[in-house]
């Protein structure tokens, strides 16, 4: 099983082209600190406003307490498939500095770091599925965060599993072609893309 049908107007790097968000994860594949290392290193080297690096990540592996805490906070529609992944990560933004001033680009910077992570993971043969469907307030409390930090997304990481093991509804979603707006919808100025 590979990713669903995708079309490209221009060739892109294979790691970017291969990245997608599956729900079928191998329940036997295991990850560990070393196997996730390159993806976190990629996140480390993403750009950020004033090099503020306003991101942090909390990682759990399937079977451990952190994994259970993070997957328990997910909406049921996400946890039903996400519990099969090998690892789960909470992405956290530092939203305010020590003086209490808002770091206005923190969410942008965190998103870039997660994008770096997901592309490096893809280059290493892993799959990542990000999600906003979880109880961020409850998780903020369970992680003991202060009000200068916010849990922004969770994402699961693993190896592609067998979609036949998903429910019929999820299997149908999994097989749907991946679609995007054309370049002409969102790029303008001195260019004219199809
Ligand atoms: C911030 C964010 C929140 C998302 N939330 C969810 C979610 O709660 N559940 C889910 O199944 N997918 C979620 N996704 C995955 C998107 O649906 C997916 O990235 C999008 O449909 C594009 O598909 P692709 O990643 O395969 O290219 C989220 C992605 C992002 C970046």
């Amino acid at each position: 099983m590979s990713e669903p049908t995708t079309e490209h107007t221009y060739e892109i790097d294979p790691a970017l082209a291969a990245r997608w968000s599956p729900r079928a994860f191998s329940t036997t594949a295991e990850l560990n600190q070393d196997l996730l290392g390159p993806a976190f290193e990629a996140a480390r080297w993403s750009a950020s406003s004033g090099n503020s690096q306003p991101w942090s990540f909390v990682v759990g592996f399937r079977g451990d307490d952190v994994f259970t805490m993070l997957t328990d906070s997910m909406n049921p529609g996400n946890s039903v498939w996400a519990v099969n992944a090998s690892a789960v990560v909470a992405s956290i933004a530092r939203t305010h500095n020590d003086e209490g001033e808002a770091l206005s680009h923190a969410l942008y910077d965190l998103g870039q770091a997660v994008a770096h992570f997901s592309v490096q993971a893809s280059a290493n043969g892993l799959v990542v599925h990000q999600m906003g469907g979880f109880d961020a307030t409850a998780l903020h409390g369970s992680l003991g965060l202060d009000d200068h930090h916010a849990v922004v997304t969770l994402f699961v990481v693993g190896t592609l599993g067998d979609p036949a093991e998903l429910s019929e509804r999820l299997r149908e979603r999994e097989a749907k072609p991946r679609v995007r707006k054309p370049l002409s919808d969102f790029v303008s100025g001195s260019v004219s893309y199809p």
Side-chain angles (χ1 to χ4, degrees):
M1 164 79 189
S2 56
E3 71 272 15
T5 320
T6 312
E7 56 77 25
H8 292 115
T9 314
Y10 292 93
E11 287 282 314
I12 60 175
D13 187 88
L16 287 163
R19 189 214 61 80
W20 68 297
S21 303
R23 294 173 186 80
F25 284 85
S26 162
T27 54
T28 52
E30 295 197 353
L31 284 173
N32 57 37
Q33 177 172 319
D34 285 339
L35 291 170
L36 285 185
F40 281 119
E41 185 69 20
R44 177 179 176 227
W45 284 100
S46 65
S48 64
S49 175
N51 200 20
S52 54
Q53 306 164 66
W55 49 70
S56 55
F57 300 97
V58 176
V59 185
F61 293 109
R62 192 179 54 243
D64 72 20
D65 290 347
V66 179
F67 187 94
T68 303
M69 173 177 57
L70 298 182
T71 53
D72 279 355
S73 76
M74 293 174 183
N75 295 352
N78 285 329
S79 60
V80 66
W81 51 264
V83 291
N84 294 327
S86 309
V88 59
V89 183
S91 83
I92 298 164
R94 183 180 187 220
T95 55
H96 295 79
N97 65 17
D98 291 340
E99 287 71 47
E101 296 158 345
L103 297 173
S104 55
H105 291 98
L107 299 182
Y108 182 95
D109 295 339
L110 174 65
Q112 285 212 84
V114 176
H116 269 221
F117 181 104
S118 64
V119 175
Q120 184 64 49
S122 169
N124 295 147
L126 301 174
V127 284
V128 173
H129 197 139
Q130 303 175 51
M131 66 189 72
F134 67 101
D135 188 339
T137 308
L139 199 51
H140 187 274
S142 339
L143 290 169
L145 298 176
D146 60 26
D147 58 6
H148 287 189
H149 293 83
V151 191
V152 179
T153 55
L154 298 181
F155 56 92
V156 289
V157 191
T159 305
L160 208 50
D162 183 357
E165 287 171 17
L166 293 171
S167 68
E168 191 183 336
R169 191 180 63 86
L170 289 179
R171 201 162 51 242
E172 277 169 15
R173 284 176 72 181
E174 196 84 335
K176 274 192 180 163
R178 293 171 63 235
V179 290
R180 288 298 192 267
K181 295 174 186 173
L183 293 177
S184 57
D185 267 26
F186 61 91
V187 189
S188 59
S190 304
V191 288
S192 178
Y193 287 114

